[in-house]
Amino acid sequence: MEYEAVIGLEVHVQIKTESKIFTRCRQGYGYEPNTLVDAVIMGLPGALPVMNKASLDGIIKAGLALNCVIPDYCKWDRKNYFYPDSPNNYQITQYDKPICEGGYVEIELPGENRGVMGEHKKIQLTRIHLENDVGKLNHFSEDSLVDYNRAGSSLMEIVSEPDMHSGEEAFAFLTAIRQTMIYCGISDCDMEKGQMRADANISVRPVGQKELGTKIELKNLNSITGVKNGIDYEIKRQISELKRGKQQVQATWRWNADLGRTELMREKEDAHDYRYFPDPDLMPVEIDDEWRQRLRDEIPELPWDKQRRFMKEYGLPYTITCVLVPDRKLSDWFESAAKQAPKSAQALGNLVANDLLREMGEAGISLDECKITPDSLLTLVRAVEKGVVPKNVANKDVFPEMFKTGETADQVIERKGLKPDFDEGQVRAWCQEAIDENPRPVEDFRSGNDKALNALLGPVMKKSRGKANPQLVQKLIRELLG
Amino acid sequence: MQELYYKTASELSELLDKKELSAVELTKTVIERTKAVEDRVAAFNSYDEADALKQAEASDLRRAGGKTLGPLDGIPVGIKDVLAVKDQPLTCSSKMLENFVSPYDATCIQKLRSNGAVLWGRLNMDEYAMGSSTENSAFKKTSNPWNLDCVPGGSSGGSAAALAAGEAPLTLGSDTGGSIRQPASYCGVVGLKPTYGRVSRFGLAAFASSLDQVGPMARSVKDAAMLLQGIAGHDERDSTSYRADVPDYLAAMESLKGKKWTLGLPKEYFENVSDESAMKPVQDAIEFYRSLGCEIKEVSLPHTEYAVATYYIIATAEASSNLARYDGIRYTHRAEAFDAKDSVDIYCQSRAEGFGEEVKRRVILGTYVLSSGYYDAYYLKAQKVRTLIRRDFENAFKEVDAILAPTSPSTAFKKGEKTADPLSMYLSDIYTISANLAGIAGLSLPCGYSDGLPVGLQVLGKPFKEEEILAVAQAFESAHDFKNQHPNL
């Protein structure tokens, strides 16, 4: 029998804000334990929560970017449960009136090969709501200690419909969310810092069966590849159990990334009764069109739209857009040059995706620290086009110098004497020689075989000891044969 | 001649202004009086003489420099032990917080500081403000200064008793279902529950967030107005706090002097009265208003009979959640010999030891009414009834300026009399609870005696119109002498 998996994800994303969600206490990562706390965070008697508007802005923006409906009204509820990492022993969250309803995430599945765009698919969302994060328990041999630094951070929970069927789709789902959040400046989604965490609900059923199989909740998916591997492992495990005739029991499992397998956490979910009720300390939030519009205006062009546009507008190959687009800064950097010379966009794209990233990687610096600017990169492309230097020289000799010093291409060429010591007249003479010496390709070319031109190119390059600009050579040969 | 410790805050303020009295002298007098009567009254959980005197000295220095901060400057104010005062104990009269010292000031405390008041002592109360007699305190039983065998009322029993005993000229209380007004009535002082949202709740250890309100207790209506002035106003640290300017209460009261009010008598409050003698002074007070030319009208608050039930669902639901933070993990009492396999054992054993009977009863009740399967039948239904109760008042206030009612069905009862019967205890708040459910303002002022015990008259008013009920109350007070009547201690 064939089986299929049905997967729903709950993704927690920490919203990047200065202060925590219900107090002015600072939000951050990597601080001494229990230094980012105040009376509200520690749940001291008398402390009251006050909504941070920036957190609301963040989630509304996220909701708009993920195609959700933002209702006019949402409210806060308390989810009551005792746990040492939760100082109030209730979490402020949203129960029946979340801030974002519905929506979908557009994902891309891998194509036939790396060079082509894969199939795009919409994964439906149930809702996105806002809640406060909890602290962190650290276990030692004798004791457990709690660090409340993370407690009270703004956390969004993005809940998907059971709309995915493989680890790959879940991987693509998380990647798409992550890129959207980073693009919109809502979160850095650094999974190592706990800024993005995922739980998966996985069930398996015979193909063709309508009702869902027994649901397993998979926790501890704290890297994007962990999500893919964990889910794939769990699907295989469940299918093999079913094939052996063993019925699944609803349970919570955890992904052990070190051992590369899932482990049972608890068989039966504790009969939790969270006793949700409206938080009497917080007023409901009313959202109007003006508010929604203000945030909609802040949403930049989103990754998929940008990728499609780059391919269409600049004729960039898919592979280059895959390098440029995921990094909003890099793609903006590229575009500020490409806009000035759309016809040279591909050459610019190649330089950014290959040479610039390579040099940055070797130097260990970020784009912000880069000396080379979009305008100076443009000088290099123009120098190649004008035939001042051939492409291989431009890439090998000129670009690294520009990267190091911040000079323009012309300055580097001048300083290093890379300009060929012959003029266009000399190149023209070499072309004529080559035409005279190679009657065969000349004839082929004249009879309509455009490719025959290449057979004339080689001899000219040889005569110039590789210094002639191939584009110039081609142009001149065409003229002479024309 | 009136003893200094029995003078009203307004009188004391005048003496301070005229430099006939210094804040240090006044504070010393209050400290001495406290020491003289505390063994009988037991109003305070703790006090810090040195700290109070330091504040008084600072006040005198300001005054000497001609920079007083207003009428409260130099006046000692006793604080119910449910409000956070920086570096002072905050116990909520619970074993759970026996050793807790607040690292911060409540907003109303901050405001009092900026008005120059001398923060004086933490006053006993029912544990976490749950109760109507102050017998639920984990530490001591406060006595009613008018009869030491009687309770002072609750939960702000310490705040009321301290005033009546001359241990503080002003005190702060908190009122969730009548916890300011009922003890004020039992101890013969003035207690005002402001409109919900008028005074910040930041720093008030929550019992039931949607009902709790901090308010002034005083020996006179004018004093209550003065103290309210000192603590009212919007606070950005409390999202439920009301965004509007605070009127000048004393000026407003002055301008409303002599007004012929239309006053409502809710018929539901005057039916089936059990203690006729305690009602007599209330009836006399109503006649007095009639004699002033006020129009007295019967009004109906038809959902009154559901108020107590509604209250005990909403209040306990919120309490069960609000009190969850007292868990033995961070700053609260932890069971010493806890036999903990896991954190659940720490919670259970610490909470079993740290909370008193009444608190446990309410936490369990609140947990029950919120649990799945019961939510709709209890909590949701109660919220709907609450809306109806609020509407009752809205309708009544279309016809009348304020409502007159007894504060409590009886005068102060004997200690131990109702402790075995929680329900009868709950019913002592029957006339006060509705105001909390509706969020409106209410005031209790002494209007006479029954068997030597004070009787309170309650004035309920429109939301955020505290000045009106203060003015109504003052009309009565200025024609009577109850504020100068004191118990024999």
Side-chain angles (χ1 to χ4, degrees), chain A residues 15 81 130 140 153 176 210 212 284 379 381:
Chain A
I15 302 176
Y81 64 97
L130 196 52
F140 303 93
S153 298
K210 273 237 170 88
L212 294 172
T379 64
V381 172

PDB file of all heavy atoms in Angstrom, chain A residues 15 81 130 140 153 176 210 212 284 379 381:
ATOM      1  N   ILE A  15       9.583  38.636  17.163  1.00  0.00           N
ATOM      2  CA  ILE A  15       9.581  39.923  16.462  1.00  0.00           C
ATOM      3  C   ILE A  15      10.712  40.778  17.012  1.00  0.00           C
ATOM      4  O   ILE A  15      10.925  40.858  18.221  1.00  0.00           O
ATOM      5  CB  ILE A  15       8.234  40.650  16.646  1.00  0.00           C
ATOM      6  CG1 ILE A  15       7.096  39.770  16.132  1.00  0.00           C
ATOM      7  CG2 ILE A  15       8.233  41.987  15.932  1.00  0.00           C
ATOM      8  CD1 ILE A  15       5.723  40.348  16.356  1.00  0.00           C
ATOM      9  N   TYR A  81      -1.083  27.856  32.828  1.00  0.00           N
ATOM     10  CA  TYR A  81      -0.425  26.581  33.127  1.00  0.00           C
ATOM     11  C   TYR A  81       0.804  26.862  33.968  1.00  0.00           C
ATOM     12  O   TYR A  81       1.422  27.919  33.834  1.00  0.00           O
ATOM     13  CB  TYR A  81      -0.045  25.815  31.850  1.00  0.00           C
ATOM     14  CG  TYR A  81       0.979  26.516  30.984  1.00  0.00           C
ATOM     15  CD1 TYR A  81       2.334  26.188  31.070  1.00  0.00           C
ATOM     16  CD2 TYR A  81       0.604  27.504  30.086  1.00  0.00           C
ATOM     17  CE1 TYR A  81       3.281  26.836  30.296  1.00  0.00           C
ATOM     18  CE2 TYR A  81       1.538  28.156  29.312  1.00  0.00           C
ATOM     19  CZ  TYR A  81       2.885  27.815  29.417  1.00  0.00           C
ATOM     20  OH  TYR A  81       3.807  28.470  28.641  1.00  0.00           O
ATOM     21  N   LEU A 130      -0.226  36.631  18.416  1.00  0.00           N
ATOM     22  CA  LEU A 130       0.900  37.204  19.152  1.00  0.00           C
ATOM     23  C   LEU A 130       0.836  36.715  20.588  1.00  0.00           C
ATOM     24  O   LEU A 130      -0.243  36.562  21.160  1.00  0.00           O
ATOM     25  CB  LEU A 130       0.768  38.733  19.097  1.00  0.00           C
ATOM     26  CG  LEU A 130       1.956  39.599  19.459  1.00  0.00           C
ATOM     27  CD1 LEU A 130       3.192  39.202  18.686  1.00  0.00           C
ATOM     28  CD2 LEU A 130       1.631  41.064  19.174  1.00  0.00           C
ATOM     29  N   PHE A 140      21.063  21.233  35.323  1.00  0.00           N
ATOM     30  CA  PHE A 140      22.379  20.779  35.766  1.00  0.00           C
ATOM     31  C   PHE A 140      22.173  19.491  36.546  1.00  0.00           C
ATOM     32  O   PHE A 140      21.046  19.052  36.740  1.00  0.00           O
ATOM     33  CB  PHE A 140      23.047  21.862  36.609  1.00  0.00           C
ATOM     34  CG  PHE A 140      23.180  23.170  35.872  1.00  0.00           C
ATOM     35  CD1 PHE A 140      22.207  24.160  35.977  1.00  0.00           C
ATOM     36  CD2 PHE A 140      24.257  23.385  35.031  1.00  0.00           C
ATOM     37  CE1 PHE A 140      22.317  25.345  35.267  1.00  0.00           C
ATOM     38  CE2 PHE A 140      24.376  24.577  34.314  1.00  0.00           C
ATOM     39  CZ  PHE A 140      23.405  25.556  34.444  1.00  0.00           C
ATOM     40  N   SER A 153       9.547  38.285  25.537  1.00  0.00           N
ATOM     41  CA  SER A 153       9.851  38.751  24.183  1.00  0.00           C
ATOM     42  C   SER A 153       8.608  38.575  23.307  1.00  0.00           C
ATOM     43  O   SER A 153       7.771  37.726  23.577  1.00  0.00           O
ATOM     44  CB  SER A 153      11.000  37.932  23.585  1.00  0.00           C
ATOM     45  OG  SER A 153      12.157  38.110  24.356  1.00  0.00           O
ATOM     46  N   ALA A 176      10.618  30.177   3.096  1.00  0.00           N
ATOM     47  CA  ALA A 176       9.839  31.289   2.552  1.00  0.00           C
ATOM     48  C   ALA A 176       9.430  32.251   3.668  1.00  0.00           C
ATOM     49  O   ALA A 176       9.517  33.477   3.512  1.00  0.00           O
ATOM     50  CB  ALA A 176       8.610  30.756   1.825  1.00  0.00           C
ATOM     51  N   LYS A 210      -9.434   9.702   3.058  1.00  0.00           N
ATOM     52  CA  LYS A 210      -9.753  11.101   3.315  1.00  0.00           C
ATOM     53  C   LYS A 210      -9.349  11.546   4.708  1.00  0.00           C
ATOM     54  O   LYS A 210      -8.714  12.573   4.907  1.00  0.00           O
ATOM     55  CB  LYS A 210     -11.267  11.341   3.138  1.00  0.00           C
ATOM     56  CG  LYS A 210     -11.635  11.651   1.694  1.00  0.00           C
ATOM     57  CD  LYS A 210     -12.358  12.989   1.598  1.00  0.00           C
ATOM     58  CE  LYS A 210     -12.538  13.448   0.169  1.00  0.00           C
ATOM     59  NZ  LYS A 210     -13.776  12.943  -0.448  1.00  0.00           N
ATOM     60  N   LEU A 212      -7.616  11.957   8.349  1.00  0.00           N
ATOM     61  CA  LEU A 212      -6.200  12.015   8.723  1.00  0.00           C
ATOM     62  C   LEU A 212      -5.835  10.842   9.614  1.00  0.00           C
ATOM     63  O   LEU A 212      -6.664  10.315  10.350  1.00  0.00           O
ATOM     64  CB  LEU A 212      -5.918  13.322   9.478  1.00  0.00           C
ATOM     65  CG  LEU A 212      -6.073  14.604   8.660  1.00  0.00           C
ATOM     66  CD1 LEU A 212      -5.963  15.823   9.558  1.00  0.00           C
ATOM     67  CD2 LEU A 212      -5.034  14.684   7.550  1.00  0.00           C
ATOM     68  N   PRO A 284      -8.735  45.346  24.540  1.00  0.00           N
ATOM     69  CA  PRO A 284      -8.704  44.812  23.174  1.00  0.00           C
ATOM     70  C   PRO A 284      -8.060  45.831  22.237  1.00  0.00           C
ATOM     71  O   PRO A 284      -7.994  47.023  22.564  1.00  0.00           O
ATOM     72  CB  PRO A 284     -10.182  44.625  22.837  1.00  0.00           C
ATOM     73  CG  PRO A 284     -10.890  44.605  24.141  1.00  0.00           C
ATOM     74  CD  PRO A 284     -10.100  45.474  25.061  1.00  0.00           C
ATOM     75  N   THR A 379      31.623  50.963 -13.640  1.00  0.00           N
ATOM     76  CA  THR A 379      32.767  51.430 -14.437  1.00  0.00           C
ATOM     77  C   THR A 379      33.509  50.236 -15.033  1.00  0.00           C
ATOM     78  O   THR A 379      34.023  50.301 -16.148  1.00  0.00           O
ATOM     79  CB  THR A 379      33.762  52.272 -13.603  1.00  0.00           C
ATOM     80  OG1 THR A 379      34.327  51.448 -12.581  1.00  0.00           O
ATOM     81  CG2 THR A 379      33.095  53.490 -12.996  1.00  0.00           C
ATOM     82  N   VAL A 381      32.153  47.190 -15.793  1.00  0.00           N
ATOM     83  CA  VAL A 381      31.372  46.606 -16.877  1.00  0.00           C
ATOM     84  C   VAL A 381      31.501  47.469 -18.140  1.00  0.00           C
ATOM     85  O   VAL A 381      31.652  46.961 -19.253  1.00  0.00           O
ATOM     86  CB  VAL A 381      29.897  46.473 -16.453  1.00  0.00           C
ATOM     87  CG1 VAL A 381      29.032  46.045 -17.616  1.00  0.00           C
ATOM     88  CG2 VAL A 381      29.780  45.463 -15.313  1.00  0.00           C
TER      89      VAL A 381
END
